[in-house]
Amino acid sequence: MQSKDFTPDIFHLSIPVVAMDIVIFTVYRDTLCVVLMPGLRENSVGKLVLPGGIIAHGESLDTSFDRILEAKTGITGIYKEQLATFGDADRDTRGHVISVVYYALVDTNMFLDKIDMTKTILLPLSEVTTETIAYDHAKIILYARQRLEWKMGYTTIIKNILPECFTLSQLQHVYEVVFGKTFDKRNFRKKILALGIIEETGIKNKSSSKRPAELYRFSDKDVKMLAGIV
Amino acid sequence: MQSKDFTPDIFHLSIPVVAMDIVIFTVYRDTLCVVLMPGLRENSVGKLVLPGGIIAHGESLDTSFDRILEAKTGITGIYKEQLATFGDADRDTRGHVISVVYYALVDTNMFLDKIDMTKTILLPLSEVTTETIAYDHAKIILYARQRLEWKMGYTTIIKNILPECFTLSQLQHVYEVVFGKTFDKRNFRKKILALGIIEETGIKNKSSSKRPAELYRFSDKDVKMLAGIV
DNA sequence: ACAAAAGTGTTAGCAATACACCCATGC
DNA sequence: GCATGGGTGTATTGCTAACACTTTTGT
């Protein structure tokens, strides 16, 4: 079931239509970015939109997410969390569309080969404005960004935006990009290591032309709650 | 527009139906309780359900909330926050119903006179189970309770479950009820007062037959973010 | 040998915790 | 005068934040 299966008349039934939009965050070239696509409808052309689609009858939210994500971006199997539901009657000029929004995190290296770069744009968060982005999607992205920052402060959610193995500097860098400030290297390492959430792999990163750094991984498969990472 | 305006055939359109359910928390007789109503449909009779209804075409989520809350409980103008959206296809046997859930807080004294006690039940959280509660509403209530606890730890959301003026003991008691543990009276007072979020009214509570306690109020009208209340 | 990122400890200040007694009132 | 909840201070411990130099590698 694709969203194109739905003819415009579903927007004029006696009940609202339910859609899903997805805010995909990734760190690309040292910048926090969101995955967007060019708007293709008369009310979004010339602007960017979030990947999204209509939720089909009988389809669970998880199933919708997988279907819409893959159909729109080619990406599969990434970490997601429900963000919120936006339902103002005038947010889409086609009719009353209530949108259930998820946000997702992905390591850039894991999806750059899967996506079609002719239909997909990685927009830095600093360029997210209502001028460039259609509907209420700019508002949604900024709300998702808040939630991301919040969650990064007290869970290990960051693991989903990093490769399996990473250096402490890479880890610190992602925190710095998301929080928009720098941290002291010694205090950062002390704190992260004291939390016991990551472990050494014993491997060293030889890809830099500088002193090789120890690679770490998260000990736990799942996202864990913690008091005060940052 | 009432939910009874919708005939069963809306459940068999080509798209899911959107509903709203409301989890109203209050502290009643020293216990955290949730507002429920007896189930009236064939698939909920004999159990309790959350107050809820169908979201109408063209109606914003805020408008739906106000309408459904008043229609079902008689309560108006209380603090609310969106919780999450639940959309499994089999959560309602009538058809595919996606429910946008809000949770709300209210001071018991403010609504005991408004509600119809023949149709409304204050159920202690300890009695929330799938045996007593229909659909997936028990799961929703427990999820809302988690969120409440979480939010009480780092915001002044608690003000919405208390009367305008309250004693420090009352305040501490609500924290203890929600967190399910006791706090040291001296440390609690020191911390709360150091946060600067409440102020003395100068009035003393003479209703108890013991030493009268100083009454306090929150200085700020809105819910404020804080680091670590509890 | 030099440029560039990796790695490493100590101290000082603040916040959280544990803990016990006197006070004001109604009955 | 006694039972009940209201109100108060200090000492210890653990966490947070500030701060600079040495090491390893590639070129």
Side-chain angles (χ1 to χ4, degrees):
Chain A
M1 266 184 274
Q2 302 286 324
S3 65
K4 65 176 181 291
D5 293 341
F6 292 94
T7 49
D9 57 3
I10 64 163
F11 296 106
H12 299 98
L13 295 173
S14 60
I15 61 172
V17 173
V18 200
M20 179 176 291
D21 289 304
I22 306 175
V23 184
I24 307 162
F25 288 115
T26 196
V27 175
Y28 179 65
R29 291 190 186 158
D30 292 346
T31 312
L32 183 65
C33 294
V34 61
V35 176
L36 294 169
M37 350 204 58
L40 299 175
R41 302 185 202 285
E42 70 286 0
N43 58 1
S44 64
V45 73
K47 294 192 167 189
L48 297 169
V49 298
L50 290 169
I54 304 294
I55 296 178
H57 190 274
E59 192 181 48
S60 76
L61 297 177
D62 283 350
T63 310
S64 291
F65 179 90
D66 293 342
R67 172 178 65 78
I68 292 169
L69 181 68
E70 178 156 25
K72 294 286 175 173
T73 68
I75 305 171
T76 55
I78 64 177
Y79 179 82
K80 69 168 188 298
E81 246 180 73
Q82 197 183 100
L83 177 67
T85 298
F86 296 80
D88 283 353
D90 57 356
R91 48 185 300 283
D92 190 322
T93 52
R94 289 174 293 168
H96 190 185
V97 179
I98 293 177
S99 182
V100 181
V101 179
Y102 277 73
Y103 71 103
L105 300 180
V106 66
D107 166 28
T108 311
N109 304 311
M110 285 297 101
F111 82 104
L112 277 183
D113 55 326
K114 292 188 193 167
I115 61 173
D116 177 351
M117 289 305 268
T118 64
K119 296 190 304 188
T120 318
I121 285 154
L122 287 183
L123 194 74
L125 260 289
S126 55
E127 293 174 34
V128 170
T129 67
T130 48
E131 268 64 68
T132 49
I133 298 182
Y135 311 118
D136 56 353
H137 289 189
K139 185 182 90 179
I140 291 174
I141 294 164
L142 296 175
Y143 184 71
R145 192 226 141 87
Q146 270 192 348
R147 178 80 68 92
L148 174 65
E149 191 170 327
W150 194 237
K151 273 258 158 168
M152 283 221 341
Y154 58 77
T155 72
T156 58
I157 196 176
I158 195 176
K159 74 194 294 293
N160 299 292
I161 210 168
L162 284 167
E164 167 81 17
C165 298
F166 50 86
T167 67
L168 289 177
S169 296
Q170 277 179 285
L171 181 67
Q172 182 175 345
H173 184 70
V174 175
Y175 278 114
E176 288 178 340
V177 163
V178 174
F179 284 92
K181 61 180 173 185
T182 56
F183 300 103
D184 178 84
K185 190 165 42 155
R186 283 167 295 187
N187 290 338
F188 180 82
R189 286 166 184 240
K190 207 186 318 170
K191 202 160 172 179
I192 291 289
L193 293 172
L195 286 170
I197 52 177
I198 60 172
E199 57 193 22
E200 293 190 9
T201 60
I203 307 162
K204 288 199 188 289
N205 173 26
K206 306 276 295 181
S207 68
S208 147
S209 70
K210 301 296 140 49
R211 172 174 176 178
E214 179 69 35
L215 287 169
Y216 289 80
R217 74 165 76 85
F218 280 86
S219 326
D220 205 318
K221 203 87 185 136
D222 302 312
V223 169
K224 277 175 67 180
M225 215 68 124
L226 299 164
I229 294 187
V230 196
Chain B
M1 266 184 275
Q2 301 285 327
S3 64
K4 65 177 181 293
D5 293 339
F6 292 94
T7 49
D9 56 2
I10 63 163
F11 296 106
H12 299 98
L13 295 172
S14 59
I15 61 172
V17 174
V18 200
M20 178 175 292
D21 289 304
I22 306 175
V23 183
I24 307 161
F25 288 115
T26 197
V27 175
Y28 178 65
R29 291 190 188 160
D30 293 346
T31 312
L32 183 65
C33 294
V34 60
V35 176
L36 294 168
M37 350 204 58
L40 300 175
R41 301 184 202 285
E42 70 284 3
N43 57 2
S44 64
V45 73
K47 294 192 167 190
L48 297 168
V49 298
L50 290 169
I54 304 293
I55 295 178
H57 190 274
E59 192 182 48
S60 75
L61 298 177
D62 282 351
T63 311
S64 291
F65 179 90
D66 293 341
R67 173 178 63 78
I68 291 168
L69 180 69
E70 179 156 24
K72 294 286 175 173
T73 69
I75 305 172
T76 55
I78 62 176
Y79 179 83
K80 69 168 187 299
E81 247 180 74
Q82 198 184 99
L83 177 67
T85 298
F86 297 80
D88 283 353
D90 57 356
R91 49 185 298 285
D92 190 322
T93 51
R94 288 174 295 168
H96 190 185
V97 179
I98 293 177
S99 181
V100 181
V101 179
Y102 278 73
Y103 71 102
L105 301 180
V106 67
D107 166 27
T108 310
N109 304 312
M110 286 298 100
F111 83 104
L112 276 184
D113 55 326
K114 293 188 192 167
I115 61 173
D116 178 350
M117 292 305 269
T118 64
K119 297 190 303 186
T120 317
I121 285 154
L122 288 183
L123 193 74
L125 259 290
S126 56
E127 293 174 33
V128 170
T129 67
T130 49
E131 266 64 69
T132 49
I133 299 182
Y135 311 119
D136 56 354
H137 289 190
K139 185 182 88 178
I140 292 174
I141 294 164
L142 296 175
Y143 184 71
R145 194 228 139 89
Q146 270 192 346
R147 178 80 67 90
L148 173 67
E149 191 170 329
W150 194 238
K151 273 259 158 165
M152 283 219 346
Y154 58 78
T155 72
T156 57
I157 196 175
I158 195 175
K159 76 196 292 295
N160 298 293
I161 211 167
L162 285 167
E164 167 81 17
C165 297
F166 49 86
T167 67
L168 289 177
S169 296
Q170 276 179 285
L171 181 67
Q172 180 175 347
H173 184 70
V174 175
Y175 278 115
E176 289 178 339
V177 163
V178 174
F179 285 92
K181 60 179 175 187
T182 56
F183 300 103
D184 178 83
K185 190 166 40 158
R186 283 167 296 186
N187 292 338
F188 179 83
R189 285 163 186 243
K190 207 186 317 170
K191 200 160 171 181
I192 290 289
L193 293 172
L195 287 168
I197 52 176
I198 60 172
E199 57 192 25
E200 293 190 8
T201 59
I203 307 162
K204 289 200 188 288
N205 174 24
K206 306 276 294 181
S207 69
S208 146
S209 69
K210 302 296 138 50
R211 174 175 174 178
E214 180 69 35
L215 287 168
Y216 289 80
R217 74 165 75 86
F218 280 87
S219 325
D220 204 318
K221 202 88 185 134
D222 303 312
V223 170
K224 277 175 67 180
M225 214 70 122
L226 298 165
I229 294 186
V230 199

